[in-house]
Amino acid sequence: MTLLQEREAIDESLALDRICHLIHQWCGVTLNASKHYLIQNRLRPVLAHYQLKKLSELIARACDPTGNEVRDRMIDALTTHETLFFRDSSPFDALAQIIVPEAERNATMGRPRLRIWSAACSTGQEPYSIAMRLLERIPDIGRWEIRILASDVSTLSIEQAKLGVYMDHEIRRGLKPDHERNFFDKVGGEWRIQARVRQLVQFQPGNLLSANQPTGPFDLIFCRNVAIYFGDEDRLRVFRMLASRLAPGGRLFVGCSEVLTNLTDVFQTERIGAATCYRKL
């Protein structure tokens, strides 16, 4: 390796370390030197999009006061968007079989009400699954007060989610044929979720580690398979913030591999149907 090549390798490594720091600062995702190869691969299309050759140039663009779009593209490239409709069906079954009847029983005066937040919603499959399950379960949904808020740190994912347009391979993941027939329209080679589903969901960009969070209170929060990418301190901070947004007795669903620790002062574990959730004390 020549001196020039050695210097370029050092510069690249320093830039990758800087990106690990920035992505944590921007959205809480923890990356380290073991992920350098992944970072290089995922940012290669972003470099090409802006016709840049070096990661240091991309960093400079992203950190510029006018660099919001570049920063959004980097966040989108470096965060995981693995999702599907009705992912792990048990929370959706619990919603339909237990939570909806419970809300109806509690509505002694006025309209039954459910306020739901899908945090880290990616490209919309989770909140749309919630809306579809509610439409299946509540034939007279017009008399209910339903609010489904969906947020994600990736503004590009939010824009895609708002469109509600999915490719064949996305539709095939998690949806039954009845769902396709009842809730989607075929438009060319794509599928668009129907307006009656879209109108139940409000999308907005949102960083779970920022000071600016939805006020709530929510009866139900889905925050699944995102905190696993945070460090211990950030994870605890996020779950305490979510607890503060829940109504008394409200429930939090997390991913199957996620377990809440050091939070017994705000949550109790609850089994509802086949699902495990955390109920606010």
Side-chain angles (χ1 to χ4, degrees), residues 163-233:
L163 292 175
V165 175
Y166 298 95
M167 303 298 291
D168 271 331
H169 71 276
E170 294 172 305
I171 289 293
R172 300 289 175 256
R173 302 190 67 203
L175 286 179
K176 298 177 181 177
D178 282 351
H179 292 136
E180 295 176 27
R181 287 192 297 268
N182 295 334
F183 299 113
F184 288 81
D185 296 317
K186 191 73 180 287
V187 182
E190 300 173 326
W191 295 84
R192 188 171 195 198
I193 199 157
Q194 293 175 0
R196 65 192 181 109
V197 184
R198 295 198 312 274
Q199 69 185 9
L200 291 177
V201 186
Q202 175 191 350
F203 290 98
Q204 66 181 43
N207 185 336
L208 288 171
L209 290 174
S210 76
N212 184 24
Q213 299 294 339
T215 55
F218 295 95
D219 304 299
L220 188 61
I221 296 178
F222 285 68
C223 186
R224 304 191 300 157
N225 307 300
V226 60
I228 53 175
Y229 300 106
F230 295 164
D232 291 343
E233 185 177 331

Side-chain angles (χ1 to χ4, degrees), residues 10 56 73 88 90 110-111 126 132 136 139 174 268:
I10 292 172
S56 58
R73 284 188 178 273
D88 175 19
S90 59
R111 302 161 67 192
E126 180 177 85
M132 285 186 280
E136 288 176 324
Q268 67 177 15

Side-chain angles (χ1 to χ4, degrees), residues 127-141:
Y128 285 140
S129 295
I130 293 169
M132 285 186 280
R133 186 52 53 89
L134 291 175
L135 286 164
E136 288 176 324
R137 178 61 181 79
I138 309 172
D140 56 345
I141 201 167

Side-chain angles (χ1 to χ4, degrees), residues 20 63 69 72 142 150 169 216 228 254 276:
C20 290
C63 293
E69 181 194 307
D72 288 344
H169 71 276
I228 53 175
V254 298
T276 298

